[in-house]
Amino acid sequence: MAEALSLIASEDDARFLAGGHSLVPAMKLRLDAPGTLIDIGRIEGLRGIAYGSGDENDCIGPLTTHATIASSNLASALVEAAGGIGDPQVRNRGTIGGNIAHADPASDLPTVLTALGATIRVENSSSARNIEAESFFTGLFETSLGENELVTVIAVPREGAGTGSAYAKLFNPASRYAVVGACASVTLNNGVVSRARVAVGGLTPMATRCGSVEAALEGRSTDAINGASAQVASDVGDDILEDIHASAEYRLGVIPVYVERALQAACARAAG
Amino acid sequence: MAKFVGKSFKRVEDPRFLQGKGKYVSNLQRPGMAYVAIVRSPHAHAEIKGIDASAALELDGVVAVYTGQDLIDGGVGQLPCGWVVPECKIPERWPVEPARARHVGDAVAVVVADSPYVAEDALELIEVDYEPLPVSVGARATTEYRAQQIHAEIPNNTAYAWALGDEDGMRRAFREAAHVVELDLVNQRLIPNAMEPRACMAEWDNTTEEMTVWTTSQNPHPIRLLLSGFTLGIPENKLRVISPDVGGGFGSKIFHYPEEIIVPWVARAINRPAKWVATRSESFMTDSQGRDHVTNVRMAMDATGTITGLHVQTWADQGAYLSTFAPLIPTALSITLFSGLYKIPGIWGEMKGTLTNTVPVDAYRGAGRPEASYLLERIVEKGAQKMGMDPIAFRRHNLIPADEFPYQTPVAFQYDSGNYQGLFDKLEEISGYGDLREEQKSKRAEGKLWGVGVAGCIEASGPAPSAVAGSLGSAVGLWESGTVRVHPTGKVTALTGSHAHGQGHETTFAQIVADELNIPLEDIEVVHGDTGRIPFGMGTYGSRSAAVGGSALVRSATRVREKMTKIAAHQMESRPEDVYFDDETGNIRVRGATDDGMSFFEVALAAYTAHDLPPDIEPGLEETAFFDPSNFTFPNSAHIAVVSIDRETGEVTLEKYFGVDDVGKVINPLIVDGQLVGGVAQGVGQALWEHGIYGEDGQLLTGSMMDYAMPRADRFPHIETGRIETPSPTNPLGVKGAGEMGTIAGTVTVANAVVDALAPLGVDHVEMPFTAERIWQTIQAHS
């Protein structure tokens, strides 16, 4: 890893290559032409999941593939989202680190990591820092990764008893990316939602935390889910994405449905 | 003696495909090969003012750069159109356009390099001075007077207008009708997307002046004919065209493409083997596309719901040029099917073939017949609604009775055989139709959107009687050749002019020959796809291979058998009429004799040693037959789809699917089921997901797999198939086509199901594809 971090600083226009499922397609279409590719795919220390115990986070190496995550014991929403990425070939090659560094607005994992309150550790050759997922994603294909920095750990809170999470999305039938996606993580106490974290993606330039939905739900019973989900409109702002697959009107029209479905499923899981 | 025909055998070709040992054009290598890449227009319409290749030519490894004019000066001809309807105006089309590009992806220059990577890099160094021109898109809009002219010689961008049927009868029917229903509908543009991209490789021998071309074609002989006679000018006896394993065609690999001319032209120009392999992006912007019809359809009925008249007006978008068979698809393969499964006295179909700044449109699985079935079965569905009749009851009321075959329709075709009531009997049985409607009632009572769609479809397959094809505009005959060669050791090579690119001919054709010759399947090798080994043949499309190619092999195998009978009779001192091929022993024996007779091998060897042949028999044991069918075959089907719709999001889920098909005699049920199920998936793809979208500026907005949605296995329920068999009298096997029926029926069956699901909201039509948003918007508009 030290070698990779030193190369990224010394080589001209260098880029890290992990699973090659974002950068390579862009290169094939000649939308991207890095001067140097640094293949980090065989740095074993960056691969795999270290499960925490007790209140410790689960730590995911950035080279962990979607397929590995989809069959892991990580937070349910993350497992669910990883299993819905692309197809088996993509899941067997694509990595979580590459995925979040690329920060495609239609990607599932940024939404999920934001909702779960994950922390992303990034390093360069001389220093390391931790970034909350919520502030890691800063815009359309933009992150707070600095020059020559590499994602080295994705730390995800463990789901204890009474906590559950879920991810619901409308698949783009071509790419399987999210036309819209919603992730919810909730803690239930005697039928009352004591903590809710909700994020949406696909319709906004970056994964977006839904404070209004959370506020409308926290301290209330699950009966409040339907009403709280409708609050998502005030969380997503005016910059709603639109393309040949879906209008902004449609995305805005259905996002409450997916928020509600994610919340319902998360609550069901939290209730055990 | 049907030991093989009618039984399921696993495909003998599968082991090589499943082990990655198929031999595709892009796998092939020749020593010293150069690689071709093509500069393609990024504009939908532009003048080419100049091309500066100097920077590319300086790049290490670049061998040459050619412009369209270089190729014209070097003797290439225009790409011809092989199907010309009356008064059809055929636009100029060069392998590389010298002066004007007319769709995004049109070839404007050619790069040749020592490696494919250098060739790709060099593309970016070629500076083309384009002057963009206004663009015309939209099958109907392009004919409006304000529209940009695409070809100076073709006014109103209208290449042809064609009509068929009984106009007076149609008018009378509408005058006297008790009920009339009408629909405007769009059969959207599709992009074929065979798994293997197109590719071409060529090798020139400058001492013998022989050219070999390897190409991903469904029909190598017609390609050789076109290369020789029109586009490349190398004599046919010096030109060998090979289509090795081809990874799917679906019609898109029938046509003569520019690269098939460019690559051999380059190979000769540089005196080195040359190869081009399409990128997936190139496939999207250069493979001929499918459908794209804009239609108005009206149907007249009497007071009892009997259909009396049909009037159809369609604008068929043919793209920027007329591809090889483009005018055939909307005309002789579409209007001719407007009678469907029904007795309709007054049918009048009008078709305009129009030109736009888009990729050319030509045959795509089903080719004209899905378009015909779509409009007919949509309007029939609306007719049933109007009459307040159950969709099956309404159809049954109008079906052609089984005792009226052969049935002459008012739109040229004479249907060979069928039992359409029997189709629906079987469909109701396997689907539990009555229960489905009960289930629907309870779902609707719960507020769910749950639809049952029915369609009954007809197809004309097995093209075609050559004289009929000629009268309808074909430049070629549509017979097929078959050679059965028995080697001296008794092993058999069967050569067919048909071509397999997924259909499993190596298995089914061996079954046919094995039955005729009474020998094991493994003793027969089926060879196709090489003009250097096989007599002239017409290739594979239109579900023709079994009916026409299989029949040619039946004929040649029968002749071999007759010759063997005579030789065996002579050698066993008997009369030919007393000699028979014994199923049990595999020997050729004399009736009533107690000895074992002669083995197949002994008779084959005798034919070659020629020591003791009957006086009128020549040595050798090989027969070639050419089969020209007396009619098309008319496969038919009745399908049901069940869909549910998520009211909140508009997502459509295909819950159940049942298809009953009559494809005549079935040679290999396993393969036929595979064809039908795969075909249904492709048809459902059009209904639910697929759409080739162009912007107003002619840019293809769905130019990759990220944006063009293909069907995926996980979106399908089990597809239940059922069968009835009414043998076709037009070929010795009794077969009808099986390759396209699923696609033809799948689309409209699902369309009817979706409309049925939305019917409680007052919806009577939705355009395809039924994307979540389109359905959601429809629900919003009707709530």
Side-chain angles (χ1 to χ4, degrees):
Chain A
M1 190 170 93
E3 187 188 359
L5 290 174
S6 114
L7 282 170
I8 193 86
S10 62
E11 292 295 315
D12 247 9
D13 188 22
R15 300 277 292 280
F16 291 121
L17 178 70
H21 273 52
S22 300
L23 184 54
V24 172
M27 290 171 63
K28 280 173 73 178
L29 292 170
R30 295 187 171 245
L31 298 172
D32 210 337
T36 305
L37 287 179
I38 300 166
D39 182 1
I40 56 171
R42 280 160 295 179
I43 302 177
E44 281 308 314
L46 295 179
R47 184 186 305 278
I49 301 167
Y51 292 102
S53 57
D55 285 345
E56 285 173 4
N57 287 328
D58 293 331
C59 289
I60 309 168
L63 295 181
T64 309
T65 63
H66 305 314
T68 301
I69 294 170
S71 59
S72 72
N73 294 317
L74 292 162
S76 327
L78 190 52
V79 172
E80 196 165 37
I85 292 174
D87 48 40
Q89 291 88 335
V90 169
R91 293 195 289 274
N92 284 332
R93 293 290 303 176
T95 67
I96 184 171
N99 180 290
I100 63 173
H102 186 59
D104 191 310
S107 184
D108 305 297
L109 299 184
T111 306
V112 174
L113 295 177
T114 300
L116 293 176
T119 305
I120 294 153
R121 184 172 180 79
V122 303
E123 296 180 37
N124 63 21
S125 54
S126 57
S127 62
R129 60 192 178 115
N130 292 320
I131 310 170
E132 294 297 312
E134 198 177 337
S135 34
F136 181 83
F137 304 102
T138 55
L140 203 65
F141 298 102
E142 281 175 12
T143 68
S144 53
L145 262 178
E147 213 174 324
N148 303 336
E149 278 183 329
L150 174 67
V151 173
T152 54
V153 180
I154 297 103
V156 181
R158 290 186 63 74
E159 283 180 349
T163 295
S165 64
Y167 180 64
K169 89 194 236 194
L170 175 63
F171 284 89
N172 173 328
S175 64
R176 307 260 289 171
Y177 274 106
V179 175
V180 298
C183 184
S185 168
V186 298
T187 305
L188 282 183
N189 250 325
N190 299 322
V192 171
V193 178
S194 60
R195 182 199 64 97
R197 285 185 63 108
V198 177
V200 295
L203 75 170
T204 44
M206 57 185 179
T208 303
R209 178 98 182 263
C210 300
S212 311
V213 177
E214 295 170 6
L217 190 57
E218 277 177 347
R220 296 195 171 79
S221 82
T222 52
D223 293 345
I225 287 177
N226 182 273
S229 301
Q231 297 299 314
V232 67
S234 51
D235 287 319
V236 291
D238 299 328
D239 192 3
I240 303 300
L241 301 180
E242 184 155 42
D243 54 33
I244 56 167
H245 303 291
S247 65
E249 179 197 5
Y250 176 69
R251 285 183 158 105
L252 268 181
V254 299
I255 189 63
V257 176
Y258 288 93
V259 170
E260 181 176 353
R261 288 177 185 178
L263 279 168
Q264 293 287 9
C267 286
R269 283 174 186 156
Chain B
M1 176 163 56
K3 278 201 288 197
F4 300 103
V5 168
K7 296 193 178 72
S8 289
F9 291 91
K10 285 187 181 172
R11 303 187 342 150
V12 300
E13 41 277 86
D14 282 348
R16 78 171 185 273
F17 294 144
L18 294 173
Q19 295 175 77
K21 298 202 172 151
K23 288 191 174 63
Y24 298 94
V25 175
S26 64
N27 303 136
L28 306 176
Q29 299 289 331
R30 308 301 294 172
M33 191 158 68
Y35 295 82
V36 170
I38 303 199
V39 180
R40 300 191 179 279
S41 173
H43 302 284
H45 201 189
E47 292 288 348
I48 303 161
K49 312 280 281 185
I51 295 176
D52 179 359
S54 51
L57 287 166
E58 279 169 26
L59 186 67
D60 201 23
V62 169
V63 176
V65 175
Y66 300 107
T67 64
Q69 195 58 48
D70 291 336
L71 268 78
I72 293 170
D73 295 344
V76 302
Q78 290 191 44
L79 284 123
C81 181
W83 196 288
V84 183
V85 297
E87 292 171 52
C88 184
K89 300 180 190 72
I90 300 168
E92 267 197 20
R93 186 186 187 192
W94 295 98
V96 179
E97 289 297 334
R100 191 188 274 207
R102 293 183 185 82
H103 67 83
V104 172
D106 221 351
V108 299
V110 175
V111 175
V112 187
D114 289 332
S115 88
Y117 310 106
V118 172
E120 286 276 322
D121 285 343
L123 290 181
E124 294 196 331
L125 299 175
I126 293 174
E127 283 177 31
V128 183
D129 180 10
Y130 294 104
E131 185 175 310
L133 295 168
V135 165
S136 187
V137 293
R140 189 172 179 177
T142 195
T143 63
E144 288 167 8
Y145 76 96
R146 296 190 284 308
Q148 166 70 24
Q149 276 289 119
I150 298 171
H151 295 273
E153 69 278 21
I154 303 180
N156 304 318
N157 295 326
T158 304
Y160 60 87
W162 204 76
L164 182 69
D166 174 3
E167 188 175 11
D168 293 340
M170 178 276 288
R171 297 212 182 282
R172 193 173 336 113
F174 280 90
R175 256 196 328 268
E176 295 167 0
H179 304 283
V180 171
V181 284
E182 179 171 3
L183 275 176
D184 285 301
L185 38 84
V186 176
N187 202 299
Q188 81 271 28
R189 177 78 65 113
L190 300 180
I191 300 177
N193 273 312
M195 195 179 288
E196 179 204 19
R198 287 190 297 114
C200 186
M201 181 173 83
E203 185 168 40
W204 170 248
D205 184 329
N206 69 346
T207 60
T208 62
E209 301 200 317
E210 286 174 323
M211 178 73 81
T212 305
V213 178
W214 292 261
T215 182
T216 49
S217 177
Q218 300 178 211
N219 29 241
H221 280 98
I223 296 301
R224 188 185 66 176
L225 170 62
L226 293 170
L227 277 170
S228 183
F230 295 88
T231 55
L232 190 61
I234 293 174
E236 260 180 303
N237 58 329
K238 295 284 194 181
L239 182 58
R240 179 178 178 188
V241 176
I242 302 172
S243 295
D245 287 327
V246 172
F250 310 109
S252 73
K253 291 174 182 166
I254 297 170
F255 322 117
H256 190 24
Y257 282 99
E259 296 82 2
E260 280 165 341
I261 305 156
I262 295 168
V263 174
W265 187 89
V266 165
R268 187 173 53 179
I270 63 172
N271 197 24
R272 276 172 73 176
K275 180 156 94 171
W276 166 84
V277 179
T279 64
R280 182 59 65 181
S281 300
E282 283 182 295
S283 303
F284 270 98
M285 60 175 130
T286 67
D287 290 4
S288 280
Q289 302 181 347
R291 319 280 191 258
D292 210 342
H293 288 191
V294 172
T295 292
N296 173 268
V297 52
R298 295 188 307 138
M299 186 173 79
M301 295 176 287
D302 71 10
T304 68
T306 301
I307 305 168
T308 54
L310 186 79
H311 184 203
V312 180
Q313 287 175 289
T314 290
W315 288 260
D317 190 338
Q318 304 269 262
Y321 307 96
L322 290 181
S323 171
T324 317
F325 289 110
L328 160 68
I329 313 311
T331 60
L333 278 185
S334 197
I335 302 185
T336 48
L337 277 311
F338 282 177
S339 196
L341 304 179
Y342 314 108
K343 286 186 85 158
I344 307 178
I347 303 177
W348 180 241
E350 300 173 76
M351 192 72 65
K352 277 198 168 79
T354 68
L355 300 168
T356 60
N357 289 116
T358 63
V359 175
V361 175
D362 207 324
Y364 172 57
R365 199 174 189 177
R369 293 149 291 169
E371 294 90 323
S373 282
Y374 180 67
L375 69 89
L376 183 64
E377 286 302 288
R378 285 293 303 120
I379 197 73
V380 162
E381 190 70 14
K382 192 160 177 181
Q385 258 183 359
K386 175 93 175 179
M387 298 305 300
M389 289 173 74
D390 172 86
I392 291 187
F394 180 78
R395 285 177 172 83
R396 283 184 182 276
H397 178 70
N398 284 289
L399 292 178
I400 298 162
D403 60 5
E404 292 194 24
F405 290 93
Y407 176 80
Q408 179 62 51
T409 73
V411 274
F413 279 153
Q414 188 186 69
Y415 295 168
D416 53 351
S417 67
N419 173 10
Y420 302 160
Q421 295 286 354
L423 270 181
F424 281 97
D425 292 344
K426 184 84 180 175
L427 181 66
E428 293 202 39
E429 178 200 319
I430 69 163
S431 66
Y433 182 64
D435 294 341
L436 287 178
R437 288 294 178 196
E438 286 305 312
E439 192 175 352
Q440 181 175 40
K441 273 185 204 152
S442 61
K443 298 272 188 197
R444 281 184 174 168
E446 295 165 24
K448 295 210 166 109
L449 299 174
W450 204 82
V452 180
V454 177
C457 298
I458 187 81
E459 178 195 353
S461 70
S466 297
V468 175
S471 73
L472 289 170
S474 176
V476 292
L478 290 172
W479 45 267
E480 194 50 274
S481 71
T483 298
V484 171
R485 177 179 298 155
V486 182
H487 300 283
T489 54
K491 304 298 181 192
V492 172
T493 301
L495 310 172
T496 173
S498 301
H499 187 274
H501 31 277
Q503 294 88 344
H505 295 167
E506 291 168 41
T507 310
T508 47
F509 285 10
Q511 287 177 253
I512 291 169
V513 173
D515 268 354
E516 289 300 321
L517 298 183
N518 196 34
I519 54 176
L521 269 188
E522 55 270 25
D523 283 0
I524 301 160
E525 193 205 2
V526 176
V527 175
H528 63 88
D530 182 348
T531 67
R533 293 180 73 184
I534 298 157
F536 201 99
M538 297 310 302
T540 287
Y541 36 80
S543 304
R544 71 189 301 270
S545 297
V548 192
S551 296
L553 282 174
V554 169
R555 218 175 242 186
S556 44
T558 304
R559 289 180 192 164
V560 164
R561 185 187 167 95
E562 285 164 2
K563 183 169 180 178
M564 292 181 83
T565 302
K566 286 181 188 162
I567 294 170
H570 176 77
Q571 297 221 335
M572 294 190 286
E573 298 175 344
S574 176
R575 295 180 308 174
E577 51 269 38
D578 291 332
V579 167
Y580 70 105
F581 284 59
D582 181 23
D583 269 355
E584 214 167 297
T585 61
N587 284 355
I588 297 157
R589 305 177 67 182
V590 178
R591 258 183 211 91
T594 52
D595 61 75
D596 291 342
M598 295 175 75
S599 71
F600 188 85
F601 156 65
E602 285 169 327
V603 179
L605 190 63
Y608 282 93
T609 58
H611 295 158
D612 185 19
L613 294 178
D616 55 338
I617 295 291
E618 292 172 4
L621 199 51
E622 170 170 335
E623 296 288 343
T624 295
F626 296 83
F627 182 79
D628 196 5
S630 59
N631 192 0
F632 288 81
T633 70
F634 294 88
N636 48 86
S637 68
H639 287 205
I640 282 179
V642 177
V643 302
S644 64
I645 292 176
D646 186 325
R647 203 183 263 273
E648 293 180 308
T649 67
E651 265 197 295
V652 178
T653 302
L654 182 60
E655 301 281 356
K656 300 178 187 185
Y657 197 99
F658 308 92
V660 176
D661 295 81
D662 176 3
V663 295
K665 282 281 290 173
V666 169
I667 298 169
N668 184 325
L670 183 68
I671 288 178
V672 166
D673 275 341
Q675 286 287 324
L676 290 170
V677 170
V680 165
Q682 206 156 359
V684 173
Q686 173 172 17
L688 294 184
W689 305 293
E690 298 189 44
H691 191 184
I693 303 172
Y694 288 91
E696 285 300 313
D697 57 359
Q699 291 293 328
L700 178 60
L701 303 178
T702 51
S704 82
M705 291 293 184
M706 294 296 281
D707 290 315
Y708 187 87
M710 300 286 289
R712 288 169 182 270
D714 66 354
R715 300 300 301 272
F716 285 86
H718 173 67
I719 292 169
E720 181 88 31
T721 58
R723 226 186 317 277
I724 67 168
E725 280 192 19
T726 60
S728 173
T730 66
N731 63 71
L733 289 160
V735 297
K736 303 174 182 177
E740 296 165 290
M741 198 69 241
T743 312
I744 291 164
T747 304
V748 68
T749 305
V750 168
N752 283 343
V754 167
V755 173
D756 187 56
L758 297 171
L761 306 178
V763 174
D764 68 358
H765 184 65
V766 191
E767 297 291 7
M768 300 185 291
F770 306 117
T771 61
E773 167 152 16
R774 182 166 282 163
I775 300 298
W776 183 82
Q777 296 282 11
T778 304
I779 294 170
Q780 301 295 307
H782 288 81
S783 298

